[in-house]
Amino acid sequence: MVQRNHSNKNIIISFLTLLMMLILPAWVAAAPTDEATNVSTNKTWTITFNKAVDPISVNLNSVYVLDQFDVKKNGTITVSPDRKSVTIAPPVEGYNFSNTYTLHITNSIKDESGKPLSSNKQKKFTIETPGTYDIVNIASDGTTSFVKSYDSYENALTNLKSSQGIQYKDSLVKIPSGMVVTRAHASNVLTNIYSDKQLTKPVTYVISNTELPYISSSDTYVEVNVAGKNMFISQENSKLIPENALTGRSYYSVSNSELVHSIYSTSSKTYSSYQIGAAPDFMTAGQKYYSVDGTHFTNTSEQEIGTSYPYFEYLSARSKTTYTAEEIDAYISAMLLKLESDYPNNVLYQQAAQKSKLIGLGSYLKQIEETQHINALFILALAQHESAYGLSNRAQQYNNLFGLYVSDNNPLAKYFPTVESNIDELIKAFINKNYLPPNAGYANGAVFGNKAIGINMKYASDPFWGAKAAGHMYRIDQMMGGKDSITKYKLGITNTSGLNVRTGPGTEYTAAYRYTKAGMPITILDDNLPEADWIKILSDSADYEELYIHRDYVQEIPVK
């Protein structure tokens, strides 16, 4: 509880630690005497205020950490955008094991009106003691038994047998094989995924309890497979599960000629499933299949059986649907009535055909398709996925069909005056600004994609967000007669980095933009040009409709 000061002019602060929150007494009271113990070596402190502070007054002289020799030992100090909190990072090398430090907040910190804190405040904290690295045997049922302790990971690794694992503070940090389940660390539910072992180059992120195939590990990182690419996450965000301890595993299967993904939860030991699209011809009903990226499949014996890309997951958002506004409106009405009929006892779907925020959007979606060059069904599929068919609380109360400005760590209730203004915000502030233009900050391909390609890399923490949204687009098309599936575009993937995408079929034409990395998804408009070495593609940039790439740098992909 916060003790109120008799004067409301003073700033009240609190420490938000990784594992606990300590709210300081009123400024007129004595400094706190309790001491935090067993603090992590990479501890970041956050100080929160009841007033916005003057950021100029927040510096190494007004807030800092001293070691036992009165030497400053903190890292970067950052003021939050609202100026009501300050974070103090640990030193680059981390705090030393078993050492005691003191966090100082001085009255040099001022609020925006220039009023300082009434007194200095201090907080002592002691860093955890180092643990031992224990070699363990891993039994056939996944249980472990202690073998021997070592004072360093390197010493344990030197003596490790191929069938054994290494534990640190009762957590496995190395296993022969198995899976990794991501876990929250401190107040952050997200796990950053990096391209380097040093964990300095973030590529994407996933939510807690995401299952990833284990490749290797050290005492600081875990190498995992993310959508077909080997990348790295922190040990702090990892729970390693040996192969023998796995009680279930995510898989793909065929149901009614459609591809179904069943995701296993290690915490609840249950499966949840969703439909992606049409099943590849090489799959058989009643069989299980595995895939790390949803395109390259093996059987349960880990033998490769085929490759197939879900069409709507890899179709450019710049494409156009063949359906009219009237057909889209008719679909929305039919879909909502179907939800009412199929789930009569579900409160969410009751009176769906009267209250959904999707009703009557056909004309506006087609208008956006023409003016902003975003497929109308692409937007509708995203709205269905993010807003439970326009029936979610955010859709109903805030006209927010897409969860805009809502993150895993900050579920902001952002209001929009109309659903049309919400769609405008999605297109102008997100999709057409940051995701589709080739040189935009989050550009990884103009498709729904996954955690290695497309919008999914930076838009959503769910690694299967792209596949789920594509599943909605597939079902929309199927319910309206499947016209978009019948008249498929050809799709491809680039195979080289630094690839120029030109305004005409030849090197003499200007480059409209460049793909800096290989593996970019493209939608092919014509691969039978008079200029045989060139193919016509759909532009990722809204400034062009059609562009050209040399045939040698594109691999057509099989779609279903």
Side-chain angles (χ1 to χ4, degrees):
M1 180 178 294
V2 176
Q3 298 179 15
R4 303 294 182 185
N5 194 300
H6 294 296
S7 171
N8 291 327
K9 295 180 180 180
N10 295 321
I11 304 175
I12 300 174
I13 66 175
S14 66
F15 296 111
L16 179 59
T17 71
L18 292 179
L19 299 176
M20 60 175 286
M21 178 182 289
L22 171 65
I23 300 180
L24 294 179
W27 296 120
V28 295
T33 57
D34 59 318
E35 180 178 343
T37 58
N38 202 35
V39 174
S40 171
T41 58
N42 61 354
K43 174 75 181 78
T44 294
W45 292 95
T46 298
I47 307 169
T48 59
F49 302 83
N50 71 335
K51 290 184 180 181
V53 299
D54 177 4
I56 297 177
S57 71
V58 180
N59 52 58
L60 287 173
N61 294 319
S62 61
V63 55
Y64 50 85
V65 173
L66 294 181
D67 66 10
Q68 60 216 45
F69 305 107
D70 290 334
V71 176
K72 289 183 179 178
K73 286 292 183 180
N74 54 273
T76 304
I77 299 171
T78 305
V79 180
S80 66
D82 65 2
R83 300 182 179 182
K84 288 190 175 182
S85 67
V86 173
T87 59
I88 303 144
V92 175
E93 69 278 8
Y95 295 112
N96 292 329
F97 284 116
S98 306
N99 283 11
T100 297
Y101 299 83
T102 306
L103 175 60
H104 294 259
I105 302 96
T106 74
N107 61 2
S108 297
I109 297 179
K110 301 177 181 179
D111 66 14
E112 291 184 312
S113 66
K115 293 182 174 64
L117 301 184
S118 61
S119 63
N120 299 331
K121 294 297 172 185
Q122 299 178 7
K123 176 68 179 179
K124 284 189 175 183
F125 60 96
T126 301
I127 303 302
E128 61 189 347
T129 57
T132 59
Y133 291 91
D134 303 332
I135 290 181
V136 295
N137 287 326
I138 302 174
S140 58
D141 61 357
T143 58
T144 61
S145 58
F146 173 80
V147 176
K148 190 174 181 179
S149 290
Y150 295 88
D151 60 356
S152 71
Y153 178 82
E154 290 73 19
N155 288 338
L157 187 62
T158 300
N159 293 278
L160 184 69
K161 295 179 181 179
S162 60
S163 61
Q164 296 175 324
I166 299 177
Q167 279 188 175
Y168 179 74
K169 294 186 175 180
D170 298 324
S171 293
L172 284 164
V173 295
K174 190 172 184 64
I175 55 178
S177 62
M179 302 297 291
V180 181
V181 177
T182 62
R183 59 182 179 183
H185 181 62
S187 59
N188 191 352
V189 299
L190 300 178
T191 293
N192 283 324
I193 298 174
Y194 302 85
S195 62
D196 64 319
K197 296 179 180 180
Q198 294 73 33
L199 309 180
T200 62
K201 300 175 182 177
V203 175
T204 184
Y205 53 90
V206 293
I207 193 65
S208 301
N209 296 315
T210 296
E211 177 188 277
L212 300 169
Y214 173 87
I215 305 300
S216 182
S217 60
S218 74
D219 56 333
T220 58
Y221 69 80
V222 178
E223 186 175 3
V224 293
N225 188 295
V226 182
K229 294 184 178 181
N230 286 1
M231 292 188 265
F232 305 88
I233 62 177
S234 169
Q235 277 283 3
E236 293 175 335
N237 289 116
S238 307
K239 179 182 179 181
L240 277 54
I241 303 178
E243 191 78 31
N244 295 341
L246 293 174
T247 54
R249 181 176 174 181
S250 300
Y251 65 91
Y252 293 82
S253 60
V254 179
S255 177
N256 297 320
S257 299
E258 292 170 338
L259 181 63
V260 176
H261 188 197
S262 297
I263 304 172
Y264 182 72
S265 168
T266 57
S267 58
S268 65
K269 295 181 173 55
T270 58
Y271 287 91
S272 61
S273 302
Y274 67 96
Q275 179 195 86
I276 302 173
D281 294 335
F282 53 75
M283 288 188 175
T284 303
Q287 300 296 315
K288 290 183 179 181
Y289 302 92
Y290 300 140
S291 177
V292 293
D293 59 3
T295 61
H296 299 82
F297 296 91
T298 70
N299 58 22
T300 53
S301 298
E302 303 293 344
Q303 297 172 321
E304 295 182 9
I305 61 160
T307 299
S308 180
Y309 289 74
Y311 177 65
F312 289 104
E313 190 176 345
Y314 290 87
L315 175 67
S316 173
R318 299 289 189 203
S319 61
K320 291 185 177 180
T321 178
T322 57
Y323 299 105
T324 66
E326 292 74 21
E327 288 176 308
I328 293 173
D329 281 334
Y331 156 77
I332 292 172
S333 295
M335 182 71 247
L336 296 173
L337 288 171
K338 187 174 187 301
L339 289 173
E340 289 184 11
S341 174
D342 290 349
Y343 306 98
N345 298 321
N346 190 320
V347 176
L348 180 67
Y349 298 134
Q350 290 175 3
Q351 297 184 320
Q354 288 76 46
K355 66 182 183 181
S356 171
K357 293 290 183 172
L358 301 181
I359 297 170
L361 281 181
S363 293
Y364 199 71
L365 294 178
K366 289 296 288 186
Q367 178 183 325
I368 291 294
E369 184 176 81
E370 290 301 316
T371 61
Q372 302 299 322
H373 308 289
I374 306 292
N375 189 306
L377 297 195
F378 183 96
I379 304 170
L380 180 58
L382 183 54
Q384 285 189 174
H385 178 61
E386 296 286 358
S387 71
Y389 300 91
L391 298 167
S392 69
N393 181 65
R394 286 194 179 94
Q396 292 287 302
Q397 300 298 321
Y398 303 102
N399 291 320
N400 193 344
L401 296 177
F402 309 100
L404 299 186
Y405 305 105
V406 177
S407 68
D408 299 278
N409 293 317
N410 181 28
L412 177 68
K414 173 69 174 179
Y415 175 79
F416 293 88
T418 64
V419 291
E420 289 81 5
S421 65
N422 179 232
I423 294 172
D424 290 344
E425 188 81 354
L426 169 75
I427 301 303
K428 296 177 182 178
F430 290 84
I431 301 298
N432 266 350
K433 180 181 179 181
N434 293 322
Y435 290 90
L436 298 195
N439 298 316
Y442 302 145
N444 290 287
V447 301
F448 280 130
N450 56 33
K451 277 300 174 182
I453 191 173
I455 299 171
N456 196 170
M457 282 187 68
K458 296 289 187 178
Y459 189 87
S461 60
D462 179 357
F464 308 113
W465 172 90
K468 292 173 181 177
H472 281 280
M473 199 167 175
Y474 167 78
R475 289 187 294 277
I476 293 170
D477 175 52
Q478 292 299 297
M479 194 165 172
M480 287 198 284
K483 290 192 296 184
D484 283 0
S485 295
I486 294 171
T487 58
K488 279 188 175 77
Y489 292 89
K490 291 182 179 179
L491 306 182
I493 297 287
T494 65
N495 58 22
T496 188
S497 59
L499 178 60
N500 288 320
V501 181
R502 299 186 180 277
T503 56
T507 56
E508 69 272 20
Y509 290 93
T510 303
Y513 52 81
R514 174 180 293 185
Y515 288 131
T516 58
K517 60 184 179 180
M520 299 300 290
I522 61 169
T523 295
I524 299 171
L525 298 177
D526 192 346
D527 62 352
N528 193 28
L529 300 173
E531 300 84 359
D533 290 338
W534 293 81
I535 60 174
K536 184 190 295 185
I537 68 167
L538 200 58
S539 171
D540 287 355
S541 169
D543 295 334
Y544 307 89
E545 288 190 8
E546 303 168 350
L547 292 172
Y548 299 81
I549 293 181
H550 196 281
R551 184 183 300 274
D552 289 348
Y553 304 120
V554 175
Q555 176 185 349
E556 187 176 338
I557 56 177
V559 297
K560 191 65 178 178

